[in-house]
Amino acid sequence: MALARKALFEAKTADAVARVGIADLPRGGKWISEIRQTALMRLHAQGMPGRRDEYWKFTRPDDLASRDSIPAKLLVTDEKPMFTDIDRLRLVFVDGVFDAEQSDPLVEENLEIETLAEAGARDIHWARDLYGVLVQRGQSPVDRPFATLNTAIAAEGVVIRVTGKVARPVSLHYKRKNAHSDAWLHNLIKVEIGGDVTLLENGPAAARINTVLEVDVADGGAFHHVRAQGRDHERRATTHIFARLGTESTFKSFTLTVNGALTRNECVIELLGDDAHATVAGASVGDGVFHQDDTVFITHDAINCESRQVFKKVLRNGATGVFQGKILVKAGAQKTDGYQISQGLLLDDDSQFLAKPELEIYADDVACSHGSTVGAIDENALFYLMSRGIPRALAQNMLVLSFLAAALEEIEADPLRDDIRDRLERWVERHHA
Amino acid sequence: MLKIENLHVKLEVEDKEILKGITLTVPDGEVHAIMGPNGSGKSTMSYVLSGKNGYQVTGGSAHLDGTNLLDMDPDERAAIGLFLAFQYPVEIPGVGNMTFLRTAVNSQRKARGEKELSSGEFLKLIRAKAASLKIDAEMLKRPVNVGFSGGEKKRNEILQMAMLEPKMCILDETDSGLDVDAMKLVSEGVNALRDGKRSFLVITHYQRLLDHIKPDVVHIMADGRIIKSGGPDLALEVENNGYADLLAEVA
């Protein structure tokens, strides 16, 4: 048995080395080179996940871990990009590479913003003390080798310091021109005391994309995040959010996932200051052989914090939805209010929703609830709508949107929520039965 | 005119006959009440007429103005003028009441080959009708029936009826869960829709609703059959003596 385990470990390590072997570590200043070297060493110890890993029980990591990415045909669409009516600071990445020409000048009040390449090229930079730190904190109790790998080799992304309330959202707009792009993005956001910023992400990023977003929110700071993993049927994505929250700070993240061959979104949040709030929510819709995994780990390590996880998945024609969500309440994290709900709506018999909700609590004065359901369209509601003269297909569409509504409610800003709803309405119309 | 002839219905999943030969005609402009003990098949009849799944018609027919209802989907029945006010209106989170109503009105207009209402036209129409039912703008904006009180739900049903202007309205225990004031409000809403042509089938347990909505004919239903029909006095008889005497009469 021990031998078998050793062999498996060696195989995984070799795999990891092979994976990294395809690219030399990116060039950069001393500080970032050191961080990358350290991450690489850790990766050798971790190895890449295999199918036997409990954390990858519902999602096969093979196509994310393979040396070569699988080409993904570009989806031709005349759909209007999202967030276009919102005044925003727009940064464009094409196949995972920053495009200064298409981007706005990186100037905004209460914001210091640089590309990762610029920041990393410096000898000294404030990011030195934070870059990769939250990734590293998030490796316990579960290894997250894809994030470690990202830290070692990502050369693109943005580094942002928020010193006050930022008037307009920072928008990362992804475009894809290449069917073979294999991209790495690492974004770092430091919200200083009382800082307040909204980050938007949208568009097809690459044929295969691995992203890390590290967010450090200081006392009284606020971070809002709305992300649309845009229509791109064949792409494979593994994304990570690592957040650390200070006293009375706020973190809210919403993700829309539409189709996509493979999506694994991991979100790791630590509530370290009292009275902090974290919400992570998502709506995903899949019509076809698409796999959409949301994996969340929230640690309460302070008093009177609140966390919410709200995930809704609509699945049809062979789509698989996965939710793994954990709330860990550490000893002393009294008055914790933890809420978690994950629901799958199956529109046929070919689709599946797999959920693993977990609570681990070491404090005695907490209120935690979790629920997970899977079901079909409510026949009673369908009859009610049809009895008013609404045809079946239209009634079903209304009920799909109704099902998703609770997740969308977690988006605070009306215009952003409207944009997401609009996108979903059009998806539902295109894909109705 | 609603014409039901010798209608036999059983549950789809088990061999249990619920309606055992209902014959009933509601001419244009009339209000008919159906009373009867629990489990007599009153609600089943309303569901079968409006097309709910789960029932199998094993015999007989039901026509609205000569059109066979039983072959149609629920939305088609609605489009030709049938309306069911639910005993338990369904909550639809995330769908605004106004959006729901406009979709319903315009779906029916479309099915009938009529021009759809613009949002301006629709707003004008709904504001007038909502006001008379004491339904405020806030209630129109909220998701369909979500967080509505029992009375609000029933008023919302009547508002839908007023907006959709059906030929034939079935009210399934619309008085259940209503206090005296709410019952008055709902009844006024119904009476406002009486125009000499529109017909009503009012299902109720209690005579008091019929004090407000005066029926032309009262039918007593028991064990899947109509056992007696008569004038408004029949409802009073039930109120005073219960169903026992009537049941004994036919036994």
Side-chain angles (χ1 to χ4, degrees), chain A residues 31 48 60 105 131 145 149 168 178 242 328 397 405 409:
Chain A
W31 70 270
M48 296 307 277
R60 288 178 61 160
Y131 192 86
L149 175 55
R168 44 180 192 157
N178 189 329
F242 294 93
L328 169 62
N397 289 355
E409 284 304 313

Side-chain angles (χ1 to χ4, degrees), chain B residues 65-123:
Chain B
D65 294 337
T67 308
N68 180 6
L69 285 175
L70 301 179
D71 286 346
M72 303 172 104
D73 278 336
D75 55 313
E76 299 171 313
R77 301 181 198 206
I80 65 158
L82 186 76
F83 181 89
L84 170 65
F86 280 53
Q87 184 179 357
Y88 303 111
V90 181
E91 297 185 3
I92 319 264
V95 177
N97 212 10
M98 196 92 102
T99 308
F100 159 63
L101 265 167
R102 194 168 73 216
T103 308
V105 168
N106 279 337
S107 293
Q108 292 202 13
R109 295 181 75 94
K110 202 170 157 191
R112 292 194 292 259
E114 298 164 13
K115 198 174 149 284
E116 296 182 32
L117 293 184
S118 70
S119 20
E121 290 166 321
F122 176 82
L123 264 176

Side-chain angles (χ1 to χ4, degrees), chain A residues 52-235:
Chain A
R52 283 187 224 186
D53 282 87
E54 178 67 16
Y55 215 49
W56 290 85
K57 192 169 140 185
F58 299 135
T59 298
R60 288 178 61 160
D62 314 28
D63 293 341
L64 299 172
S66 62
R67 181 190 165 112
D68 298 312
S69 65
I70 300 165
K73 210 166 58 217
L74 293 162
L75 181 73
V76 181
T77 162
D78 54 2
E79 198 164 47
K80 189 182 103 177
M82 297 199 70
F83 310 134
T84 45
D85 297 333
I86 291 160
D87 184 22
R88 62 210 164 115
L89 179 71
R90 189 163 169 268
L91 282 73
V92 176
F93 291 82
V94 179
D95 286 299
V97 179
F98 178 69
D99 187 327
E101 291 273 300
Q102 295 190 59
S103 302
D104 291 337
L106 301 185
V107 181
E108 183 74 19
E109 205 177 332
N110 293 330
L111 209 61
E112 288 172 24
I113 179 166
E114 294 157 274
T115 64
L116 179 62
E118 281 172 342
R122 305 265 187 80
D123 284 335
I124 300 173
H125 196 275
W126 63 262
R128 182 186 66 186
D129 297 329
L130 193 57
Y131 192 86
V133 168
L134 302 186
V135 171
Q136 184 48 34
R137 291 181 66 93
Q139 303 290 324
S140 168
V142 194
D143 284 345
R144 301 176 195 276
F146 286 111
T148 310
L149 175 55
N150 180 299
T151 307
I153 72 172
E156 292 283 343
V158 285
V159 173
I160 298 174
R161 202 160 80 94
V162 182
T163 52
K165 187 166 171 54
V166 182
R168 44 180 192 157
V170 176
S171 167
L172 307 182
H173 186 107
Y174 305 126
K175 293 181 180 179
R176 178 154 93 77
K177 302 271 183 240
N178 189 329
H180 299 268
S181 50
D182 194 8
W184 311 83
L185 287 171
H186 196 122
N187 300 314
L188 174 65
I189 298 184
K190 188 170 200 277
V191 180
E192 302 282 10
I193 291 173
D196 186 338
V197 72
T198 297
L199 178 74
L200 308 177
E201 293 182 81
N202 75 298
R208 182 167 69 176
I209 180 77
N210 175 320
T211 70
V212 165
L213 169 63
E214 293 183 276
V215 185
D216 196 23
V217 188
D219 298 353
F223 175 77
H224 293 266
H225 179 221
V226 176
R227 165 168 72 167
Q229 296 182 301
R231 287 176 66 202
D232 193 2
H233 295 338
E234 297 184 7
R235 64 111 180 96

Side-chain angles (χ1 to χ4, degrees), chain A residues 350-365:
Chain A
D350 301 327
S351 306
Q352 58 175 341
F353 175 61
L354 306 163
K356 191 176 168 197
E358 284 180 284
L359 289 177
E360 197 176 325
I361 301 174
Y362 297 100
D364 56 11
D365 183 14

Side-chain angles (χ1 to χ4, degrees), chain B residues 12-32:
Chain B
E12 217 159 52
V13 289
E14 56 177 308
D15 254 345
K16 187 178 170 197
E17 192 168 49
I18 313 270
L19 300 184
K20 302 171 177 173
I22 298 275
T23 298
L24 179 73
T25 299
V26 186
D28 287 353
E30 289 194 3
V31 174
H32 286 214

